[in-house]
Amino acid sequence: MPNAASHKAAHAAFDPLVPLEEKTLRDIAATGVVRTFPKNTVLINEGDRSNSFFIIVSGRVRVYSSNPQGREFVIDFHGPGEYVGEMALDGSPRSASVNTVEPTTCAVVNHAQVREFLLEHPDFAEHLVRKLIHRIRVTTENVKSLALTDVYGRLARLLNILAPPGDGERVIPERMTQQEIADRIGASRDMISKLLKDLVAGGYLSVNDRTITLHKRLPSGW
């Protein structure tokens, strides 16, 4: 029977929040072409029919959706050990756009290669399934938040999600501009600026060079 340590390791390998292990990353990257993209390069266009699957080796990308008027809603950000493009494995058009937010290196793999890799590496198949389930849950929560929560509630939820767990001061590792925060919660930059200033004045948080530190529990309403 597997011991507790092996069970814990197996669970971690299947955890959708844990990036791919380095060996798995190298193996799947070896099946494709490694490319480096400058900041602000569009990797995927919403609505396109393409078969590229991007495994992020270094850098950071933004997943977003936009309307004909150019307004954008940011869905998520992904970094090293994560991947994007998996939603088109069924051959349907792309459901969202993806661009780089800093110079980014990716292994670009086509869907035929991904399917072959899935058959040969069941651990990766399990990781992909759990990742898809996790992303669906996140999307569902985002829709509920947009429909049922005011701007402050959405801001507080985002900050609490991004901050590491704990009871004392919590520093959000992801550095964000006010516009990036606004895009992620469907609000205006002016509203985010006002709320952050109010929270700073109340001693709830501080902002230094786009790094947000939570000093105490955020109030449930504002």
Side-chain angles (χ1 to χ4, degrees):
M1 292 181 63
N3 58 31
S6 62
H7 176 76
K8 184 176 180 180
H11 177 76
F14 295 152
D15 188 340
L17 300 179
V18 174
L20 291 173
E21 292 183 355
E22 187 175 346
K23 182 182 184 306
T24 304
L25 193 65
R26 287 199 308 268
D27 289 346
I28 191 170
T31 68
V33 178
V34 177
R35 295 182 58 190
T36 298
F37 302 92
K39 180 181 177 179
N40 295 327
T41 300
V42 176
L43 304 180
I44 295 172
N45 275 303
E46 183 177 356
D48 282 358
R49 287 184 178 273
S50 58
N51 69 349
S52 296
F53 183 88
F54 296 83
I55 301 96
I56 305 165
V57 178
S58 66
R60 190 160 163 261
V61 304
R62 177 181 69 131
V63 184
Y64 66 98
S65 187
S66 59
N67 64 13
Q69 290 71 43
R71 184 174 181 182
E72 296 180 352
F73 177 74
V74 176
I75 299 170
D76 211 343
F77 289 84
H78 299 299
E82 298 185 280
Y83 43 83
V84 292
E86 75 285 352
M87 293 295 288
L89 281 170
D90 64 352
S92 299
R94 299 291 192 177
S95 58
S97 298
V98 179
N99 76 327
T100 59
V101 296
E102 60 186 61
T104 300
T105 298
C106 296
V108 185
V109 186
N110 67 44
H111 285 178
Q113 294 166 320
V114 173
R115 291 190 183 96
E116 183 176 346
F117 192 84
L118 288 170
L119 292 173
E120 296 175 354
H121 298 79
D123 282 0
F124 176 66
E126 177 78 4
H127 190 281
L128 177 61
V129 169
R130 290 179 179 266
K131 175 69 77 174
L132 287 171
I133 292 172
H134 172 71
R135 290 182 179 176
I136 291 170
R137 290 186 189 279
V138 169
T139 301
T140 301
E141 289 300 317
N142 286 341
V143 171
K144 286 167 59 179
S145 179
L146 282 170
L148 304 174
T149 311
D150 61 14
V151 174
Y152 169 75
R154 300 200 296 273
L155 173 62
R157 175 177 175 268
L158 176 66
L159 297 179
N160 281 321
I161 287 173
L162 295 178
D167 297 325
E169 285 195 346
R170 298 186 294 159
V171 179
I172 295 176
E174 186 175 327
R175 298 171 66 221
M176 301 176 290
T177 65
Q178 292 179 359
Q179 187 60 59
E180 287 173 337
I181 295 173
D183 290 342
R184 291 183 74 162
I185 65 172
S188 69
R189 190 194 66 79
D190 288 344
M191 177 60 75
I192 296 304
S193 176
K194 179 181 183 304
L195 287 171
L196 289 177
K197 286 179 181 177
D198 288 347
L199 289 168
V200 168
Y204 291 98
L205 58 80
S206 59
V207 183
N208 182 25
D209 192 24
R210 292 188 296 155
T211 297
I212 298 175
T213 301
L214 305 183
H215 299 296
K216 55 185 177 180
R217 184 183 181 89
L218 298 176
S220 58
W222 196 260

